[in-house]
Amino acid sequence: MSVYLFAKELIRNSGAFIRNRMEESFQVESKSNPNDLVTTVDLETEQYIRAKIKEIYPEHNIVGEEYEADIVDSKSGYLWIIDPIDGTLNFVHQRENFAISIGIYKDGEPYAGLILDVMKDKLVSAEVGKGAFVNDEKLETVKTSHLSDSLVGISHKWLIREDIKAPLIEIVKECRSPRSLGSAALEYAQLIEGRIEAAMFFRLSPWDFSGGKIIGNEVGIITTDFLGRQNNWLEQTSVLATNAVLQKEITDIIKKDDGFILAHDTFHNIHKSDL
Amino acid sequence: MSVYLFAKELIRNSGAFIRNRMEESFQVESKSNPNDLVTTVDLETEQYIRAKIKEIYPEHNIVGEEYEADIVDSKSGYLWIIDPIDGTLNFVHQRENFAISIGIYKDGEPYAGLILDVMKDKLVSAEVGKGAFVNDEKLETVKTSHLSDSLVGISHKWLIREDIKAPLIEIVKECRSPRSLGSAALEYAQLIEGRIEAAMFFRLSPWDFSGGKIIGNEVGIITTDFLGRQNNWLEQTSVLATNAVLQKEITDIIKKDDGFILAHDTFHNIHKSDL
């Protein structure tokens, strides 16, 4: 069995693990704080995933949201980047619209990505070079689009932050309609399936977008930071994910705003000498 | 068969009508403008619903989004207020996350409400006084909540409109997390199921909220305008739908902003002498 097929089986089983755990917990602990519940299930699920990987592949490295990372040599062997529950507020409030996200690198290169909508048991995944799939159905390359014809996923919270809001407000004004689902991984899944045309996140951690970035690349979704630069996939970063035409339109709006660029690069601790 | 049972059967059949029509159309007309498609399906679906009602109940009055309203005597007999596709941009872009919404009044009083998530075939409905249901499962009264613990549905577009944005920005800042799904009827369904805690719409038409208002009332969701006033359910209005505790917190923020109140009442053509 390839590592990719193993990962597909693992993410489905991890989804079942969460669904079972929720059923027990929402019964037993209905009076307790739901924030404790999500913390517990988050930790248990990452533990479950880590144990299953290490059982079969003890030499693989793992970076997750909830536990200290393995000391990573990112250039050799397999590296798993996992988020056991992406969309924790949806988990607590909605009991749906959250995901498990997995990105896998091999010898420093993207190898595979997987995003499972846990409550729908719907898997979007790709092995690099072999196309992206929703469950077992192959997905087509996404259509290019212009801002005026595009649904754009973006959190309201960035629109009201003084030092960065100007170009984001322009994008929201010019786009066909903005959306906010509350899970970066599921917004990536929507992009990959052609249900929204762009998604923008001012700050994500590697486990939030590694899976989506790898899968998206198979269907023409380009991932960069807000200024169109390639992200370091092991650091926090801004993330713009969209088709090639819209990527240029959005970064053109952003790059003409020097105040935004300064605030962005200061926030993300990016120095000109690094670029 | 009661009018409510007839309406439940009708909305399910209308959902099937849309799903079939989409399957044909996305095949046949994939090259044409998707905006034409939604217009066509919208019109056909309202026609379908109108014909089915008139066949059984020729004396019932109907107000819909797509056709001229019957001349309505709102005080006697049955009045159906229908939106054949709520969330048309989701219909076009996502091929999911849109709804049929129906509100029914009898002799000027709320009688029943129905919201069908068309692609999930999931029905939220209520006959007044008999509780709200999702499919055949009875829903509990929603919990009260504070802003800091609440997911709030609100469109980004109102946050960037100069004359009204100030209190809305405060609400977005103070809430636990904002969401935007792109369908007023489905945000109502989320409220009714306890998946979000408030939904705010600066401008809705009667067919956008009549169903949700009637169903919500069965589980403790109060519908008013942004200032906490009762809406005229046959006019365009702002809509705030939430539990009693959060309703007070949100309207307290809004009512302290005289600039907002002036802009709101001017926009909606509300004069002090009307109140």
Side-chain angles (χ1 to χ4, degrees):
Chain A
M1 186 187 280
S2 73
V3 171
Y4 176 59
L5 287 179
F6 169 80
K8 281 177 72 168
E9 203 175 291
L10 173 59
I11 201 169
R12 293 272 191 198
N13 291 340
S14 306
F17 176 86
I18 294 175
R19 290 192 300 272
N20 290 334
R21 194 64 188 74
M22 285 170 75
E23 207 165 309
E24 294 163 22
S25 302
F26 280 114
Q27 285 166 3
V28 177
E29 304 169 22
S30 64
K31 282 181 297 187
S32 74
N33 186 341
N35 299 327
D36 297 343
L37 173 62
V38 71
T39 309
T40 308
V41 178
D42 234 356
L43 289 170
E44 286 178 2
T45 307
E46 186 166 326
Q47 239 165 7
Y48 173 92
I49 296 173
R50 282 175 177 269
K52 293 287 179 190
I53 296 169
K54 291 288 186 183
E55 188 184 319
I56 309 289
Y57 304 113
E59 74 285 10
H60 285 197
N61 288 308
I62 303 171
V63 173
E65 182 168 16
E66 304 298 336
Y67 292 90
E68 207 176 324
D70 292 339
I71 295 164
V72 172
D73 169 6
S74 63
K75 299 289 184 204
S76 76
Y78 284 90
L79 171 64
W80 295 65
I81 302 178
I82 58 183
D83 191 351
I85 298 181
D86 181 85
T88 49
L89 289 178
N90 288 349
F91 175 91
V92 173
H93 287 253
Q94 308 196 342
R95 301 168 308 283
E96 64 182 11
N97 296 327
F98 60 90
I100 304 171
S101 173
I102 297 178
I104 310 174
Y105 286 81
K106 184 183 174 186
D107 300 334
E109 297 295 323
Y111 165 71
L114 307 95
I115 296 170
L116 183 77
D117 181 325
V118 173
M119 298 315 289
K120 289 183 180 164
D121 195 26
K122 179 173 149 181
L123 178 64
V124 173
S125 68
E127 187 180 351
V128 168
K130 297 185 180 169
F133 291 80
V134 53
N135 296 328
D136 290 321
E137 187 192 333
K138 189 163 186 179
L139 289 164
E140 293 177 26
T141 298
V142 296
K143 296 195 180 79
T144 59
S145 66
H146 295 287
L147 193 50
S148 56
D149 302 318
S150 295
L151 302 191
V152 175
I154 185 169
S155 169
H156 307 62
K157 297 268 184 185
W158 307 116
L159 287 180
I160 61 179
R161 205 185 132 115
E162 286 301 328
D163 55 344
I164 59 167
K165 70 180 187 183
L168 306 183
I169 286 175
E170 186 175 342
I171 290 160
V172 165
K173 262 191 192 143
E174 299 301 323
C175 78
R176 191 159 196 202
S177 194
R179 293 284 181 274
S180 186
L181 182 58
S183 157
L186 289 184
E187 289 194 1
Y188 251 111
Q190 287 190 319
L191 274 174
I192 290 160
E193 289 192 86
R195 298 184 197 276
I196 59 175
E197 283 69 37
M200 305 182 66
F201 314 92
F202 190 70
R203 179 180 49 195
L204 288 185
S205 293
W207 41 82
D208 297 317
F209 68 91
S210 290
K213 179 176 189 290
I214 293 170
I215 309 165
N217 196 46
E218 295 292 309
V219 291
I221 296 290
I222 302 164
T223 297
T224 63
D225 76 1
F226 274 21
L227 282 82
R229 299 176 301 208
Q230 280 302 316
N231 307 298
N232 175 341
W233 46 264
L234 286 175
E235 303 273 343
Q236 277 201 346
T237 176
S238 67
V239 170
L240 165 63
T242 185
N243 63 71
V245 170
L246 190 49
Q247 204 252 1
K248 179 163 176 5
E249 284 184 28
I250 289 175
T251 54
D252 279 352
I253 291 172
I254 287 174
K255 284 193 286 189
K256 71 182 188 212
D257 188 325
D258 290 336
F260 177 91
I261 296 172
L262 180 65
H264 176 278
D265 285 0
T266 304
F267 185 91
H268 287 296
N269 204 21
I270 296 168
H271 306 288
K272 279 209 172 137
S273 57
D274 301 341
L275 300 173
Chain B
M1 186 188 280
S2 73
V3 171
Y4 176 59
L5 288 179
F6 169 79
K8 281 177 73 169
E9 203 176 291
L10 173 59
I11 201 169
R12 293 272 191 196
N13 291 340
S14 306
F17 176 85
I18 294 176
R19 292 191 300 273
N20 290 334
R21 195 63 188 76
M22 285 170 75
E23 208 165 307
E24 294 163 22
S25 303
F26 280 115
Q27 285 166 2
V28 178
E29 304 169 24
S30 64
K31 281 181 298 185
S32 74
N33 186 340
N35 299 327
D36 296 343
L37 174 61
V38 70
T39 308
T40 307
V41 178
D42 234 357
L43 290 171
E44 285 178 2
T45 307
E46 186 166 327
Q47 239 165 6
Y48 174 91
I49 296 173
R50 282 175 177 269
K52 294 286 179 191
I53 297 169
K54 291 288 185 184
E55 187 183 321
I56 308 289
Y57 304 113
E59 74 285 9
H60 285 198
N61 289 308
I62 303 171
V63 173
E65 182 168 15
E66 304 298 337
Y67 292 89
E68 208 176 326
D70 290 339
I71 295 163
V72 172
D73 169 6
S74 63
K75 297 290 184 205
S76 76
Y78 285 90
L79 172 64
W80 295 65
I81 302 178
I82 57 182
D83 192 350
I85 298 182
D86 181 85
T88 50
L89 289 178
N90 288 349
F91 175 92
V92 173
H93 287 253
Q94 308 195 343
R95 303 168 306 285
E96 63 183 12
N97 296 327
F98 60 91
I100 304 171
S101 173
I102 297 178
I104 310 174
Y105 286 80
K106 184 183 173 186
D107 299 334
E109 297 295 324
Y111 165 72
L114 306 95
I115 296 170
L116 183 76
D117 182 325
V118 173
M119 298 315 288
K120 289 182 180 165
D121 195 27
K122 179 173 148 181
L123 178 65
V124 173
S125 68
E127 186 180 351
V128 168
K130 297 186 179 169
F133 292 79
V134 53
N135 295 328
D136 289 321
E137 187 193 332
K138 189 162 186 181
L139 289 164
E140 293 177 25
T141 298
V142 297
K143 296 194 179 78
T144 59
S145 66
H146 295 287
L147 194 51
S148 57
D149 303 318
S150 296
L151 301 192
V152 175
I154 185 169
S155 168
H156 308 62
K157 297 269 185 185
W158 306 116
L159 288 180
I160 61 179
R161 205 184 130 114
E162 286 301 328
D163 56 344
I164 59 167
K165 70 181 186 182
L168 306 183
I169 286 175
E170 186 175 342
I171 291 160
V172 164
K173 262 192 190 142
E174 300 301 324
C175 79
R176 191 160 197 201
S177 193
R179 293 284 181 274
S180 186
L181 182 58
S183 157
L186 289 184
E187 289 195 0
Y188 251 111
Q190 287 190 318
L191 275 174
I192 290 160
E193 289 192 87
R195 299 185 196 274
I196 60 175
E197 282 69 37
M200 306 182 67
F201 314 92
F202 190 70
R203 178 180 48 195
L204 288 185
S205 292
W207 40 84
D208 298 317
F209 68 91
S210 290
K213 179 176 190 288
I214 293 170
I215 310 164
N217 196 46
E218 296 291 309
V219 291
I221 296 289
I222 302 165
T223 298
T224 63
D225 76 1
F226 274 21
L227 282 81
R229 300 175 300 209
Q230 281 302 316
N231 306 297
N232 175 341
W233 46 264
L234 286 175
E235 303 273 343
Q236 278 201 346
T237 176
S238 68
V239 170
L240 165 63
T242 184
N243 63 72
V245 170
L246 190 50
Q247 204 253 0
K248 179 164 174 6
E249 284 185 29
I250 289 175
T251 53
D252 280 353
I253 291 172
I254 287 174
K255 284 193 286 189
K256 69 181 190 215
D257 189 324
D258 291 336
F260 177 91
I261 296 172
L262 180 65
H264 176 279
D265 285 0
T266 305
F267 185 91
H268 287 296
N269 205 20
I270 296 168
H271 305 288
K272 279 208 172 139
S273 57
D274 302 341
L275 299 173

